[in-house]
Amino acid sequence: SDIGVDMDSLADVVSFGTAPAMILFVWMEQSLHNITPALESNFLISILPYFAFIVPAFSALRLANFNHDERQHSEFIGLPTPANALFLGFLHFSADELSFVANFWVLLALTIVFSLLLIVNIPMFSLKFKHFRFKENEIKYSFLLISLILLIIFKLGAFPIIILTYILISLSMFAIKKII
């Protein structure tokens, strides 16, 4: 029913918006301690970690649009909220290999960029299969194979890399369609 769709979206906002935002908020607060003490005591700087909570707001906006957008049967418009949650929620596992990720300003920039990716009007491929033949599913199977390899190599730190791969493949497909 219509209310079921809305309740599902509400659950998604909590699971895929609020939960990663809370992880990001705590991490951003902790990374503030690495900033010069003069900046850290600045009131405006001290409230910047609260920007993490734009993630559930943009997730809610994305899900509300998704519920009423008829174009999203075979692909998504904008980054799906579960993909965003995987990127932001597992980003701290990548910080061991990519130390720049633990930088407060990088985290703030990623928060803003990934929140905007939720609502951008760019198609992103879906992993929904109509059939399992390789033909017409080349991108999906290739992406799943790349994801499996990344998981084996990087374990939990692979999720942000997988999501970046997903975004790059989707953007490449979008650019190719525009050119052709």
Side-chain angles (χ1 to χ4, degrees), residues 62-162:
R62 191 246 181 294
L63 289 161
N65 285 335
F66 181 79
N67 286 349
H68 303 286
D69 190 336
E70 295 300 318
R71 299 174 296 165
Q72 301 191 62
H73 294 292
S74 61
E75 60 188 10
F76 297 108
I77 304 298
L79 184 65
T81 54
N84 193 48
L86 283 172
F87 181 84
L88 295 175
F90 284 86
L91 192 58
H92 61 283
F93 289 107
S94 299
D96 294 336
E97 301 295 326
L98 307 168
S99 59
F100 72 91
V101 172
N103 179 293
F104 174 79
W105 301 108
V106 170
L107 291 172
L108 183 62
L110 288 172
T111 300
I112 293 167
V113 167
F114 274 77
S115 293
L116 292 172
L117 280 172
L118 288 166
I119 60 166
V120 71
N121 195 19
I122 295 176
M124 300 207 178
F125 72 93
S126 169
L127 288 174
K128 296 176 184 172
F129 287 87
K130 293 178 183 172
H131 57 78
F132 294 106
R133 293 184 301 274
F134 187 75
K135 189 174 180 166
E136 298 175 20
N137 288 315
E138 300 92 346
I139 298 293
K140 295 172 189 175
Y141 282 124
S142 299
F143 173 72
L144 290 172
L145 179 63
I146 291 168
S147 299
L148 180 63
I149 293 167
L150 289 170
L151 279 169
I152 291 168
I153 295 170
F154 297 107
K155 297 173 184 51
L156 293 177
F159 286 108
I161 301 166
I162 291 168

Side-chain angles (χ1 to χ4, degrees), residues 6 16 40 61 67 79 83 136 155 170:
D6 293 334
F16 303 129
E40 184 183 359
L61 183 58
N67 286 349
L79 184 65
E136 298 175 20
K155 297 173 184 51
S170 294

Side-chain angles (χ1 to χ4, degrees), residues 18-67:
T18 305
M22 293 174 88
I23 293 168
L24 196 55
F25 172 76
V26 170
W27 195 20
M28 288 172 81
E29 271 200 324
Q30 290 172 351
S31 68
L32 260 180
H33 301 297
N34 297 331
I35 293 180
T36 311
L39 282 177
E40 184 183 359
S41 62
N42 181 312
F43 174 74
L44 291 176
I45 298 294
S46 69
I47 63 170
L48 285 177
Y50 289 93
F51 263 90
F53 293 102
I54 67 170
V55 173
F58 277 76
S59 295
L61 183 58
R62 191 246 181 294
L63 289 161
N65 285 335
F66 181 79
N67 286 349

Side-chain angles (χ1 to χ4, degrees), residues 122-123 139 167-180:
I122 295 176
I139 298 293
I167 293 167
L168 291 174
I169 292 171
S170 294
L171 290 175
S172 300
M173 290 172 54
F174 176 69
I176 290 168
K177 285 180 184 176
K178 282 287 190 185
I179 293 171
I180 295 177

